[in-house]
Every structure is written in C-alpha cells, then in structure tokens.
Amino acid sequence: IVDRIRCLVLSIDIESIMCRSGTAMAWNVFRFCTALRGLGSIMILLVLGVVGVSYYAVVISNYGPGLASGGMDSLVSILVLILFHLLLWMLLWSYFSVVFTDPGSVPPNWGPEVDVESGDTEALAAVELPENVENRPRFCRKCNQLKPPRCHHCSVCGRCVLKMDHHCVWVVNCVGARNYKYFLLFLFYTFLETTVVALSLLPHFIAFFSDGEIPGTPGTLATTFLAFVLNLAFALSVMGFLIMHMTLVAANTTTIEAYEKKTTPKWRYDLGKKRNFEQVFGLDKKYWFIPSYSKEDLKRLPAIQGLEYPTNPEV
C-alpha cells in the first residue's frame, strides 16, 4: 500500500511544481546553511562564555564579596545570588535539553494509516485529488520517503524533522516536535536571567560615569561593564523572540507554517489558545516550567511524539 501511495504521490507531486515557483525558490536560499554545521561547538562555547562572564561579574566581583558586608547589603546579595543561581540552573537545563534531544525523525517505512475494512481507497482518494493538499500524504525527494503531517526537511541536518520549527545555530540542533517546549523554556529562562543580571549590574554600570572613585581592579570593572552590555542586549533580543514564539504557540503553528499559511484564512490545527498551549507544554501543570514531560502526557498527547495531531473539526 505504501509503495502504491508513493507512486501516486510522485506522479502528482505538487512540491515539484512549487520548486519552479518563486515561493519555493525563496526557500532554496537556505541551502547554503549546510555550512552552519561547522559552527556547532563555536556557538556552544559562545553561550558558555557569556554565562561565564556573567557569573564572574555577578558572583565573584560584585555580590559574592557583599555577603560579608552585613546589614542590608548582605541581604540584597543573598537574594540576588539565590535568584541568579536558580535561573542559571534552569537556563542550562533547558539549553542542554534542546541540544541533546532529538526533535523527531520519520520512522523507517512510515506510511499513512489505512482502514483495513475499507481497504486503501480512503488513503488513495486523498492522494488522487491534487486539490486536496491538506489530506494527501507528502513525499520528500531528498530522503526518498513519505512525510507525516507538519514534517519538513532540514537542509542543515540533512533529514526530515517532525513538526520542524527551524534550525537553530545557538542550540546546534533542529527545533521540532520533541524539543520545542525545551527551546521555549530556554528562551524564557534566558530572558529572566539576562534581565536579572542587567538590573543587578545597573548600579555598577552607572557608577562608571560618576566622578567618584570606583572600587575594584581594572579587570573586574571591565568584566562588569562587558557583562552588563551583553546581558542587556540579550534580554532585549530574546524578549522579541519569546513574544514571537508564544504567538505561534497560541495559534498552534510553527515558524515555517506561519510563512506557508499566509493566505490561509483558517488553520486546521488551531484548537483554541488553551488546547494549543497544552499541545506543546502538556496537561500536567507541574511540568510546564521544566524541560520534561510526565509519563501520562507522553501517552495521551500524540502531538508531543510528532506523528499525529488533533484538528479542528470546524475547519
């Protein structure tokens, strides 16, 4: 059945027609991204470098020594250090969860489910109608296999990724069905951590432009200045990405799908904001803010696995 479907899909493959259009040609620009594979270790080292500079400026240079000062300064140092380390732990946990979690790949010999009683007529009917693009199985010419719904081919990874959102050079991995939540938590905790660092170093940054004498060595002062600028820049940029992705979550779509469905008035996977959120973060509220899923959510939410997705019956 799968071979028969594959032949029919190849004979009417709309994607081959789109490759000749301007829309598909615009996406071909991303083929040069195969060179990004060599940036993996560099980007990880850059992230760890920013973390290291921030840790030195906050903990070692400024608020660590403040613990021995006593009084209100000591209390402020304790609060800043506790918040800093808590957010740093969640940031690194989320970050390495995105890096080391497979976003999801197509199982070998995957094919659309066919009703045994009615034969393969229903599945083939969806293939034989070119206008029924939403329901027909899609075929990847590069991987030479059928693609599940919402699956896209990544030119950087060289494979099809389930519910692919984008390939992120910062995490050296694709962001897809099985690590999208972790990526969102990484953005969330990065925004909180960089905001805390920027606010905690703001008084020291202002002191640079004062006429009074500033305590500390030139090295510690330079590190504090650099850490403040870096964290402020990251906080502002990550805030924009976080707002964009939460908008996508509210509509139950991805970055790629948002581009593809510009002319689509209604989105078949839009189940309402609450259910859309649960499709990514799960039903168990205890797991919403940690990069993990409960066993129950993994069983009752097929969208997390990336092969099946509930649709809105009204669309």
Side-chain angles (χ1 to χ4, degrees):
I1 294 174
V2 173
D3 291 338
R4 186 177 175 186
I5 295 175
R6 181 180 289 111
C7 292
L8 288 170
V9 172
L10 284 173
S11 65
I12 61 170
D13 194 355
I14 297 179
E15 291 182 359
S16 63
I17 300 175
M18 290 187 63
C19 283
R20 303 187 187 99
S21 66
T23 303
M25 289 302 294
W27 282 102
N28 290 341
V29 175
F30 291 99
R31 289 180 178 177
F32 83 96
C33 289
T34 53
L36 295 177
R37 296 173 183 174
L39 293 177
S41 58
I42 297 177
M43 301 309 291
I44 292 179
L45 291 176
L46 182 59
V47 171
L48 295 179
V50 174
V51 171
V53 171
S54 302
Y55 192 91
Y56 183 86
V58 174
V59 179
I60 299 178
S61 298
N62 294 289
Y63 289 92
L67 293 175
S69 60
M72 193 65 181
D73 292 339
S74 180
L75 178 60
V76 171
S77 297
I78 292 175
L79 294 177
V80 169
L81 291 175
I82 291 176
L83 187 58
F84 175 86
H85 283 92
L86 176 62
L87 293 176
L88 179 61
W89 168 251
M90 297 306 300
L91 186 159
L92 293 177
W93 184 10
S94 301
Y95 177 72
F96 286 108
S97 295
V98 185
V99 173
F100 293 112
T101 301
D102 192 320
S105 57
V106 182
N109 301 321
W110 179 88
E113 295 184 359
V114 178
D115 190 343
V116 178
E117 295 182 359
S118 61
D120 61 342
T121 54
E122 293 183 2
L124 295 178
V127 179
E128 292 170 351
L129 296 175
E131 67 275 8
N132 197 5
V133 178
E134 288 291 341
N135 294 326
R136 75 179 186 87
R138 298 177 302 146
F139 189 82
C140 179
R141 299 183 305 279
K142 297 179 181 179
C143 297
N144 194 31
Q145 66 181 6
L146 293 170
K147 294 195 296 185
R150 313 184 75 177
C151 178
H152 292 82
H153 185 88
C154 176
S155 298
V156 181
C157 297
R159 60 168 178 155
C160 286
V161 176
L162 301 179
K163 195 186 176 184
M164 177 180 173
D165 186 89
H166 69 289
H167 185 93
C168 182
V169 295
W170 288 97
V171 301
V172 204
N173 197 3
C174 260
V175 178
R178 298 176 185 177
N179 65 352
Y180 185 48
K181 172 188 174 182
Y182 309 157
F183 175 75
L184 294 176
L185 291 176
F186 166 59
L187 292 181
F188 176 68
Y189 288 117
T190 299
F191 170 70
L192 293 181
E193 174 76 340
T194 53
T195 300
V196 168
V197 173
L199 291 176
S200 63
L201 296 180
L202 180 60
H204 305 278
F205 179 79
I206 295 176
F208 280 109
F209 305 97
S210 63
D211 297 331
E213 183 178 353
I214 306 174
T217 64
T220 58
L221 296 178
T223 304
T224 300
F225 186 92
L226 178 62
F228 173 81
V229 173
L230 285 176
N231 281 273
L232 179 62
F234 270 94
L236 295 176
S237 59
V238 170
M239 180 178 65
F241 281 110
L242 185 60
I243 293 174
M244 182 192 77
H245 278 283
M246 292 311 298
T247 302
L248 296 176
V249 170
N252 198 1
T253 185
T254 65
T255 302
I256 295 177
E257 291 170 344
Y259 176 86
E260 291 179 341
K261 69 181 186 71
K262 284 182 178 179
T263 58
T264 304
K266 293 184 178 180
W267 182 235
R268 64 192 304 234
Y269 298 108
D270 189 354
L271 309 175
K273 289 182 174 57
K274 183 177 183 296
R275 289 192 61 192
N276 292 343
F277 179 86
E278 293 171 346
Q279 293 297 303
V280 176
F281 287 86
L283 298 172
D284 195 335
K285 297 180 180 180
K286 297 189 299 293
Y287 286 80
W288 279 0
F289 294 100
I290 63 174
S292 181
Y293 289 102
S294 65
K295 294 181 179 179
E296 291 75 15
D297 281 346
L298 292 175
K299 293 179 181 178
R300 57 189 174 184
L301 291 176
I304 297 176
Q305 302 298 332
L307 292 173
E308 301 176 14
Y309 301 94
T311 57
N312 188 338
E314 298 180 359
V315 180

